[in-house]
Amino acid sequence: MSAFPSPVIHSARLELREYEPDDAGLVLELLGGSEPEALPPGAPSDPAEVPAWLADGASRGRREGTSLHLMMLDSANDRIVGSIGLFHADWDVRSVEIGYGVRGDERGKGYATEALAAVARWVLTEGGVQRAWLTANTDNVASVRVAEKAGFHREGTLRRTGLEDDGLHDQALFSLLDDDL
Ligand SMILES: CC(C)(COP(=O)(O)OP(=O)(O)OC[C@H]1O[C@@H](n2cnc3c(N)ncnc32)[C@H](O)[C@@H]1OP(=O)(O)O)[C@@H](O)C(=O)NCCC(=O)NCCS
């Protein structure tokens, strides 16, 4: 097994880093706005469960070598604007999936694009990976635009692979290789 290091990545407006045990205040502020898509998968919606998640669950994927959850922290306002994660690490192929979400009141300001470009560059140079990939539902125009603007290459369409509450969606498959940087 291999594993990701715990990075602190800086972009123009963001600090991208792991959720730490003393981040309860930041997370509770975000939960108050009911923004589940801005927190990593597996994060609690119940404020009472936040300390336990921060103490263990938030970093478990990194410890197990499978994933890495990072907050998008607005450096100027000390406020979480979203989350970006690495998933499905394959240490034989040296590939990883990237996923992201931004809180509703911060969308359309370029945060997801800024975070994706910075995290992809980090993982392809320092994270031990040669291929970063992501899928976006073809009708999720914002997510498709984010991948394009961050320089990812569209490889094709996976038909009916995305299951959402309203049913199955086609997904666009994107990738960025270390050679593309
Ligand atoms: C997808 C998401 C992360 C984008 O975050 P963001 O910070 O708003 O993204 P950015 O501001 O970097 O870029 C968004 C782009 O989409 C465009 N866009 C957004 N909604 C759009 C729409 N309905 N039609 C056309 N373009 C749209 C924006 O104009 C912008 O492109 P531009 O700079 O060329 O104008 C955010 O909408 C989100 O969290 N959605 C819910 C979770 C999700 O879908 N995650 C991705 C799963 S693959």
Side-chain angles (χ1 to χ4, degrees):
M1 188 189 84
S2 194
F4 295 110
S6 177
V8 179
I9 304 165
H10 293 277
S11 62
R13 296 170 294 173
L14 298 172
E15 183 175 310
L16 301 145
R17 65 161 175 83
E18 280 196 285
Y19 288 79
E20 303 286 353
D22 61 359
D23 287 329
L26 288 171
V27 174
L28 291 173
E29 185 276 329
L30 185 59
L31 276 184
S34 299
E35 300 274 3
E37 289 175 321
L39 282 171
S45 54
D46 181 351
E49 296 175 11
V50 167
W53 176 70
L54 289 172
D56 180 49
S59 58
R60 187 180 306 146
R62 178 174 55 74
R63 296 196 305 276
E64 294 176 350
T66 55
S67 59
L68 177 69
H69 299 312
L70 303 175
M71 66 168 75
M72 303 180 193
L73 184 66
D74 175 352
S75 306
N77 298 318
D78 212 26
R79 185 171 183 256
I80 297 173
V81 300
S83 295
I84 183 163
L86 305 176
F87 304 91
H88 302 127
D90 182 329
W91 293 108
D92 294 323
V93 173
R94 293 193 298 119
S95 69
V96 74
E97 179 180 9
I98 304 185
Y100 39 80
V102 169
R103 62 195 293 163
D105 60 355
E106 296 287 1
R107 290 181 189 170
K109 300 178 182 176
Y111 283 123
T113 304
E114 184 177 321
L116 177 60
V119 170
R121 173 168 289 277
W122 173 80
V123 79
L124 291 169
T125 55
E126 299 175 47
V129 158
Q130 58 86 21
R131 168 183 166 86
W133 59 276
L134 65 89
T135 59
N137 290 348
T138 53
D139 54 5
N140 187 344
V141 184
S143 186
V144 169
R145 277 296 295 146
V146 167
E148 291 171 346
K149 288 194 295 176
F152 277 62
H153 296 251
R154 188 166 180 156
E155 297 184 329
T157 301
L158 306 169
R159 298 190 299 165
R160 293 187 196 158
T161 47
L163 179 59
E164 306 290 348
D165 291 344
D166 64 351
L168 292 165
H169 292 247
D170 290 351
Q171 293 186 306
L173 176 63
F174 287 91
S175 72
L176 193 69
L177 304 183
D178 52 3
D179 295 344
D180 296 329
L181 293 173

